[in-house]
Every structure is written in C-alpha cells, then in structure tokens.
Amino acid sequence: MLGLEGMAMACKKGFYFTIDAMIAAALLITGLTMGGALYVRESRTAALEHYSQDLLGILSSVKLYEVNSSFVSSLSASGVITDLNNTILEQAGEFWAEDNLSMALQLLNLTAGILPAQFKYGIFFGNELVYGPDELPSTSLVSSKRLISGLAKGKPVKGFSSRAVLTGFQARSGSSYAYFGGFVGEGNLTLRFVLPDVLVDVTSAYLELDANADFSLYVNDGFSGTYAKGSAGGGFMSADKWQINDSYLGNFVAGVNYVNLTFNATRGYIGGGFLRVNYITSELNDSAVQFFTGTASQRHYFPGIYGMINLYDSFFVPGNISSMSAHLHYQSDFNTFLTIGNVTVFSLSAPGEQIVDLSNDNLASKLNYAYLSSKTVPLRLGSATGNATTIGIGVADVVLANDLSGSMEFCAKNPCSTAVQGPERYCGTSGNYRPETGTYCNWTTENFTLPDDGAVCSARWHALCPVNDTRKIDIAINASKKFSSVLLGTLGNKMGMVSYTNPWDSVVPAGGSWTDRFAPFPDSIVSYLNLTGNATEVSSHVDKYLDTYWGTCICCGVTKATEIISSMSNPNRYKSIVIMSDGEATDKCIGVGTGNAKTDAIEAARRACDEYNISVNTVGFGTDVDAATLQAMACNNGTYYNATSVDDLISVYTHIANMINQVSYYEQVVNFTGGSTAAGVLYGDSYLEYNYTPNVVSDPGVIPAVLETPRFGNNISQATLNLLAGMKLNDVRVTSYSGNKWTDNLTVTNSVANRQAFKLQQFSDDYLVIGDPFVVYARPDLFEAGDNLVRISTATSPGNYTGGSVDDKIIYTLLIPNFVSHGGVFSKADGCVWQIQFEDGTNATFALPGSYSGTEQCSFSPKSYSPNDAVDDSIYRLLTLLDFDNDGLLDAKFSAGELDVNLLTLSSVPFLWGPTIAEVRVWQ
Amino acid sequence: MSRLIRAGRARAQIFYGDAFIAMLIFTLVAVLYLMLAGNFTSPDERVLDALSSDADSIASSLVSAGSPANWNQDTVTSIGLTDGSYRLNPAKVAGLMNLSYNLTNNLFGINANYVIFLEDRQGNVLFFGKCVFSNTGLSVQNISEYFCENVTLTNQSRLVASERLVTHNSEIIKLIVYAWA
C-alpha cells in the first residue's frame, strides 16, 4: 500500500508528465507556427533570388565593350584591359587573380545603386569579398554562383600561344615512283615517269623488278648499269632489289623522264616492279606526286614495248569518272586489242604503224564509268591473231626419281613367293650362291648388259607374270610417260629423270672370276636425265628402264635429283622432286651421314627443301612401302601419295603433274606461230586519259609525303599499316608480285573486318582475258587511325587463292600540313637556337624566330626545349610534322638561315587554371 | 518485502496512466493545430501570395527571349523582352506595348491585373512607345500610358511587385511588374 507521501509523490509525477506534454505541445505549435511563418514569407526571398541571379547573369553576359564606363575606357586605353570581349565578371576575376582588388571593385561598381536600399549584395571570387559591404546579412540571404575557368588567385591570367607556318624553304626530300604492271612485255621496254619541275638534286634511285632476263638500264638514253636477273634477291614471286649506282643519278632530269630496259633475251618482260627516285625539290607540292584539287584529269601512260605487245596492267581513278579517252600508237603483225576491266574496247588487225584515238563517246558506250570509279581496274593491251594466242607457260623444274630396286620386277597383282634352292656357283665363279625360285618370280644369277660396263653377270629377280598382271617396273614406265606428257604439256616446264637402286658390289664381268666382282652403280644411280622440256626425250629415256636391280637407296635418288635441279634451275622457277619407292630404304648414302638408311632419306629430302627450295613429293608404290619414311620425307608443300595398284600409280603421277602445273602456271606470255615479234611496237606516247571528281580534295598548303612499309615478309601476304590520328591519306597502293598468277584480292581490316579494296573477280571469272595489277590501290577512306591489316592474295582463278609475295609492300602518301595551329598557353614566347638533323645526314642550326638573339639551345632529336616557351612549342610541333617517317630526321631539307617560319604568337591567352567560383550574395 | 513490491506495482500503474494521458493531450493539441493551421493565414495574405506568384511569373517570362526568339504580334507564343542574356530588345518592348491586354493575359496565363514598365536606376520610367503596359481600362491612380512620371500605386491595398534586372543602352535597368487583385 502506498502512504500519503507515496500518493503525493505519485500524483506529483503524473502532474509532471502532463506539464511535460503541454510544454511539448507548445513547443510543437511554436515550431510549426514559426515554420509556417517562414513558409508564408518564402515568397519574399524570391526578390533576393531574382536580384542575385540577374546580377550574376548580367555580369557574366555583358561584355566590356558594351559598358558605357569611363573607367573601362581609360583602362582599355592604358592597356590594363586588353580584351574588351571579356565579360564584366571575367575582367573582375582577372583583377582579383592579379590581386588588384581596387580595380575589381571599381569595375563592379557599375552595379551600384541598382537594388533598392533595403537590399544589400556582395560579389565574391573564390569566397573572397571583392565588392559589397563588409557586414553580415541581417536576415535572409540568397546566393548565385558561376564557375570561371582560367583564373586562380596568384596565378598568371594570360600567357602566350604560338603557331608556326612554313611559308617557304630551300628544299625538301621526296620520292617519285614509276610502276610496271603485273606483266609488261615482251621485248625491250620504256617507261615514262615524272620528277618535280624544280629538281634540286637526285639523291638515290632504287629499282625493284621481277624480270625474266638480264637487262641494261638506260635513263633518258644514258646508260645506267646492267642488272642480272636473280642477282639481288629475286626469285619465284619475288623481285631483285637494286640500288642504282650514284654515278648514274645524273641521268635523271626535272620533269618527264624515260627509262629503258634492254634485255639480253629476245622476249624480255617484267612481272611487276617499280623504280623509285629520291630527290630534293624546293616545290611545296610537286608534279611527281598525284595531288588532287577540285576536278582532275590524269593520263595513264602505257609503257613502250619493242617486241610482242603483251601488257597486263591496271589503273585506278581516285574519284568519280566523268569521261575517258584513249590514244594508242603501235604497230603489230597481229590483231591488237585493248581490254578495260572485262570489256574489249578496241580490237584491230592492221599492219603497219597505227595511231588510234578512242573518244569518250566511244568508251562511254562500252564502259560503265560508275562501276570503274574508285576501283583498281585491270587493263589488258595485247596482240593476238588466229595463229597467235595467249596461253599459259610453266616455270616448273621437276625431277621424277623412280625406284629400280629388284622388287620392282615383281608382278603388281601377284605376290612373289619363292623357295630357297640348293647351293650353286655364283655366275660360274668360285663363289657360293643359293638361288630362290617361285611361281611368279625367281632370284637367280644371269648374264645381262649394263650400258657402261657391257656384258656382266649377277643375281637378279626375274618375274613371270600371269595374264592380266604386269611387272611394277612396266607400270612405272607408263606412269612416268604420263607424268611427262602432262607436265611438259605446259610450255616452259622442264623435267628430269633419276632411276636408283643401291651400290650392289657383286656384279661379275661376263666370264670373270669371283674376285673380279664390282659395284656398277657406286652412287646407286642407274640412270638419269637432265632437265628438259622435250617430252620425247623423256619418253625415250624412260623406255630404257628394261631392267631392275637390287636394293633401295632412297636418299641416293633424292640427292641426285637435287643435284640436277640445283645445277640447272634458277630461283625464279618452281622446283620439285617426285620420288617413288616400292619398299623400305635399304642403303645409306654418301654425304648424308645420319647412320641409317631411312633417316638418310629423310635428311636428304630436308636438305632439298630447306637448302634448295625444292618441293619434295613422295610416292609409295605397292603394298610393302615404308610409308612412315616417305611421309617424313615430303616437305616444302610436298605431299606423300600412296599408290597400291596399277591404276593408282598412273593417277597419282598425273595428279602430281597437274598440281605442279597449277602452282607454276601461266606467265602471261604470248605464244605465236606466225608473224614476227620484232615487228611489234607499242609506243610510249600511248595513254588512257580520264577526267574525274576526286574523292580526296587536298588543301593547297599541304606537303605530300610518300612512305613505304617494310616488305610483308610472308606469303599470306599481309602487313599492318599504322596511322596516327589526324593523318590525312592521299592514296594507298599495295604492290604485288604475282609471278605466274593474278593479283586478285585486297582487303583491309580495322574496326571493320575485311573491307574489300579490290577483287579481280568483280571483272571476270576468267583471269586469262583480263589485266593483272602490280599496284593495287585502296581508297583512303577504308583506313582508320591505328592498325590497319592489309592482306593481298593471288590466284589463277576465283577462289583459288595462293597467297602473295614476301616482297609486297604498302606505298602510301600522307598529306602533311605546312603549319601547326596554336597550341597550349605558355608563360613566355622567346625562341631558341635549334639543332636539327636531316634525313640525308646533314645538320643545321637555326635561331627561331629569326629575331631571337638569346643563347638557349634546343634540339629536335633528342627532344629538348623549354616547356614554358610558346614559340619553342610551336616550332617543335612543326618540325615533328616535317619528320614524315618519325625517325628524328627531318625529311624537309633546309639550309641555315633559309628556313622561313612565320610565327604567329598570341599574347594574353587565358591559362586553364581554376575554375574559380564567382558568387553574388543578396540579403536584407 | 511483499508490501514493498505491491506499492511499487501501484506506483507503476499510476505513472503509466499519466504518461498515457500526457501523450493523448500532446497528440490532440498537435492534430488540432495542424487542422487549424491553414486558417491561420489571413485571406489577404493568400491573395498576396497568389499575386506575387503571378508577378514573378510575368517578370520571369519577360526576362527571357520569348518564343519564338524573334517573335512578333502574329507569331508570339511566349512574351520575352531580351535576347536571352539580359540584353533588353527595344523592339520587343515596343511589340509588347502594342499587344492587346487580353492576349497577354492568355499568354501569361493569369487573371490578375498587372502593369509592366521599365525603370532606370534613378527611378525614371523608360519610354518605349508607351510608358507602361496595362489594360486600357486602367484605374490605378497615377499610372498613365503616355506620361512616364510619378508612377505610384498607392491606393491598392492588395498590390505586389516583382522586379528583375536587365541591361539597356549599357546600363542596368529594372523591369518591374505590378500585379493586383
């Protein structure tokens, strides 16, 4: 029970609770009432907001030139204010950054008296009061803020920015190219090319050609050296690379030049290539580089050909063709035709000198200009009559090596099963011998004749084949004849023969004693035939395969075949060995030295492939072959074939011959059976002319820079062209040594895969009737900044891609601007004495600008200049542009004192400090 | 020991009941206040708030460039008197002066009476073909369309003003909107 005191205490606590509740309610009501009062009065702050926003807006939008203020005028006149385009806020901010608060205050005083007296305002920069009363707001306050870049307290407000313009120079380096087509022949050749009209010097000349014979070079009728085919890296689908001796450079002249190739062969030709002349010119742009402005007109001059006219070429119009015409000047005993794309636009059989002009009306009626525009168009100009046709010609040198071991005597379908007989005398000598006899074959001694040794006696197999069966040697004879007929059916191919066994040392001269025995084939080679294109000769040789002999020295056959090819072929021809064996390798051969007959065979094949670029194909004949060894021997794109039966060997041999034909097929030469090749002439004044609207229009102030990538170095054939951002491409050309094939496809892969730049099939599925480009053009718009993977391929027919040449490369022209625009902002703009190295190895020293008299030293490479100097910055950027190939050496050549650089330096350029917050606070 | 426990329980019951009553009173008073709070503001203040809102709306529109930016009497869909950057366009002001009051009423979207005029920092009303823009049946004392001095609006008990700043002829001036019920 609670006492009175307890009750009182309890009541007192309850009273307290009630009082607390009432106090809380009162506080709540007071708070809400005050909040409500503020809410009701919120509209009163609208005026503050408007004033602060409007003041800030006006200060940041009204420019100084709009202000009618004597203060501003006087500061402008005195040079304190340098930019009347500044807004009031910007100028006040600059004064503040320069710690010139009094001027900032006077400038902002333009706002004085605009607000009613009950309103106060202050203008702040970086939270520092610049204008307004230095007092605390009495009641409400509204603030508006804005960011101003380029300002920071204590930092300079204005600096210098410079640009450099190259308005003249003494000279610059450049390159001019003269391209041969995919096939230019057949006879002595001339080619027209252009050097700049103002030619200061020719620094070097370089010739890269896939020629079929040695030749002498004449430049503008001046002898310029002799050049031996294959002497400078040339080979199959690759070019010789010759640096023309400096003593001949004087033969080049400004403007139009002619080079002449006089071959040491009746039917000389070029399977692609170019002449590059490096020069120094004082022209900013020169006529040696295709350079496009507005509408354009160009001529594609045909080469002069003194012989059978046979040209596979291409041309490219970098824009939309509006009209075309052609001028042909030639003479030929045969029908002469011109095919553009796949359309023969001209064909005439008339003796004597002919001058033919094909008008635009004529060509326009036959050609689709829109289809030909911006494409590499195959161009074919040639001669042919009913008795002169364009055919393929092979360049294969092949040796077929047949096994003449004893087992080749066996019947193809009936196995040889023998039994050992009693001992007898070997060839009537004192030597003991045990013959073997069987149903279809006998191992006995016998007398026979060897071509070089006359009558001899030794043990040999003899077969007795039933009807409908044949000795394997007879099958090999027939198959070899078929092989030769297929391979040599293609003009230009050659083949040789090797027959091999082993160095059996038990042959006795007829009537001789046991001690007289000898080895008739110490090198295991029974017979051989050197390379020949005469199928009858091959057939006669094969017909001498009357006998078979003893063991199987496969490596001996390979070695002999390699010896024949290496001694008789040349790097331009396709080389192959086809070696057949019906059993295991039984004998090692001299000079290989692996210690084992089988590995000797494999090693001999490897040497042929690796050391002589010979493709080794192997054929296992019958059911007892050593397939593993033969498979291991196949190399350099060679293949192992298994022929188990009669028909198999013939079909395998035929297949191999056809394959070799395919990979070594068609040089685009003319086979003629009448008339005289000497009578043909295509004069070098013949041309194809086209007018067009260019895709790339160049500014007149640019400098063309022709650059090359390294050789592709692979047969895929592909390379990457890396372009820096901002580079402007004028043209891109990819060279292609297609050899005996056609260049038929060019793709560019960057952000988009396999952009089609060229596809020969777009013109015809029959490549024989259309031109073969050596230079494939790619539209500049297919390329992007960064890596561009360029892939080019060749083929003999659509889809039959066969890769390209290791010597392919990209030749491209960049358009380099002759100026650099304003760069960053720097604290000074003085200049420097520059040390510069040029591409030709010379050095120069420049004071830039010319008025610079200081001693500061700068260097382009290695990069060294003041990071605070606007002039140095612009000079360095300009020099960087003039280093076309980014090797630290300037490609534009200047002499000291002759570099004319126009520096345009801007002072009072805002820095990029800050930003700083400008703020207008308004209160009551 | 047991007595102490019982006394403790009784005290707890009393405290609990008092606390409950206190919370009830607090809640009751708070609810009553919130229900009646809306009536605390006088009718006049509510009208003034609405007028202020209208005046601000008109002034904000006038500080803009309007729509279209180069509007005229035939094309105007929103009335603005500047270039959008606080620079007054006198042609637009003159254009406003020639618009019908009813049209501006519709374009501003308000029903209040209003008068628009521009004043320099010395308080002089600027003349743009007219001194002020208002309805033709203007009944406000001392406001005249063609006599720009002595613009006073002293007899209106419910009168609000909205002032904005713009520039004109290299000077900062005031754009003033008066609105009244």
Side-chain angles (χ1 to χ4, degrees), chain A residues 579-863:
Chain A
I579 185 156
M580 180 270 282
S581 174
D582 74 329
E584 293 185 355
T586 59
D587 289 73
K588 299 173 284 186
C589 54
I590 300 168
V592 177
T594 67
N596 178 279
K598 294 180 181 180
T599 54
D600 263 10
I602 296 169
E603 174 62 13
R606 186 202 64 76
R607 291 181 183 179
C609 291
D610 295 349
E611 298 174 13
Y612 299 98
N613 193 27
I614 297 172
S615 174
V616 175
N617 294 281
T618 56
V619 180
F621 182 32
T623 55
D624 298 324
V625 298
D626 179 5
T629 299
L630 293 174
Q631 282 175 343
M633 290 173 64
C635 55
N636 198 13
N637 294 321
T639 305
Y640 164 67
Y641 300 90
N642 187 12
T644 56
S645 69
V646 178
D647 295 335
D648 284 348
L649 187 66
I650 294 176
S651 62
V652 164
Y653 273 20
T654 304
H655 173 76
I656 294 173
N658 279 324
M659 287 297 294
I660 292 173
N661 270 340
Q662 194 165 4
V663 298
S664 62
Y665 196 54
Y666 285 119
E667 291 280 3
Q668 296 94 337
V669 299
V670 172
N671 183 36
F672 61 94
T673 56
S676 169
T677 57
V681 178
L682 175 65
Y683 294 97
D685 60 348
S686 303
Y687 61 82
L688 185 66
E689 186 172 74
Y690 32 86
N691 299 307
Y692 60 98
T693 305
N695 294 326
V696 178
V697 177
S698 307
D699 299 326
V702 298
I703 304 168
V706 185
L707 304 173
E708 293 180 12
T709 64
R711 293 185 182 86
F712 287 8
N714 60 77
N715 292 104
I716 293 177
S717 174
Q718 65 182 26
T720 299
L721 175 60
N722 183 274
L723 296 173
L724 299 177
M727 282 184 171
K728 186 174 184 180
L729 272 177
N730 192 53
D731 59 66
V732 180
R733 310 161 195 221
V734 183
T735 64
S736 173
Y737 292 96
S738 59
N740 43 20
K741 310 177 190 69
W742 273 254
T743 299
D744 81 329
N745 200 54
L746 176 66
T747 59
V748 180
T749 294
N750 35 51
S751 66
V752 179
N754 298 318
R755 286 174 157 167
Q756 194 78 51
F758 170 68
K759 191 174 181 63
L760 189 63
Q761 192 184 3
Q762 290 178 337
F763 297 96
S764 176
D765 285 341
D766 184 3
Y767 289 179
L768 281 173
V769 300
I770 58 178
D772 175 25
F774 168 68
V775 176
V776 180
Y777 294 78
R779 298 194 325 268
D781 62 283
L782 297 177
F783 294 82
E784 299 173 347
D787 286 342
N788 298 271
L789 180 66
V790 175
R791 175 176 291 194
I792 196 164
S793 63
T794 62
T796 54
S797 59
N800 186 21
Y801 301 130
T802 50
S805 168
V806 295
D807 285 339
D808 292 347
K809 64 172 63 170
I810 303 169
I811 301 172
Y812 57 104
T813 306
L814 294 176
L815 297 180
I816 309 295
N818 65 336
F819 70 96
V820 289
S821 57
H822 289 287
V825 182
F826 301 85
S827 59
K828 63 177 183 174
D830 297 336
C832 193
V833 176
W834 284 86
Q835 302 292 331
I836 297 169
Q837 294 82 43
F838 294 105
E839 195 71 43
D840 63 0
T842 60
N843 301 321
T845 301
F846 302 95
L848 293 173
S851 58
Y852 179 72
S853 57
T855 57
E856 188 175 352
Q857 297 290 315
C858 299
S859 166
F860 175 64
S861 180
K863 177 181 177 181

Side-chain angles (χ1 to χ4, degrees), chain A residues 190 243 420 516 603 901:
Chain A
T190 62
Q243 198 72 37
V420 178
D516 293 332
E603 174 62 13
V901 178

Side-chain angles (χ1 to χ4, degrees), chain A residues 316-381:
Chain A
F316 176 79
V317 181
N320 295 317
I321 301 172
S322 55
S323 65
M324 290 179 70
S325 61
H327 175 80
L328 300 178
H329 183 191
Y330 71 94
Q331 59 180 339
S332 173
D333 289 348
F334 307 113
N335 180 61
T336 301
F337 60 92
L338 173 64
T339 301
I340 297 174
N342 64 338
V343 178
T344 299
V345 297
F346 167 75
S347 180
L348 178 66
S349 181
E353 185 174 339
Q354 302 292 327
I355 297 177
V356 179
D357 285 298
L358 303 177
S359 68
N360 178 58
D361 290 343
N362 183 340
L363 295 178
S365 66
K366 297 170 181 171
L367 299 172
N368 182 346
Y369 288 167
Y371 189 75
L372 301 181
S373 296
S374 300
K375 283 192 180 76
T376 300
V377 180
L379 190 62
R380 174 85 174 92
L381 178 60

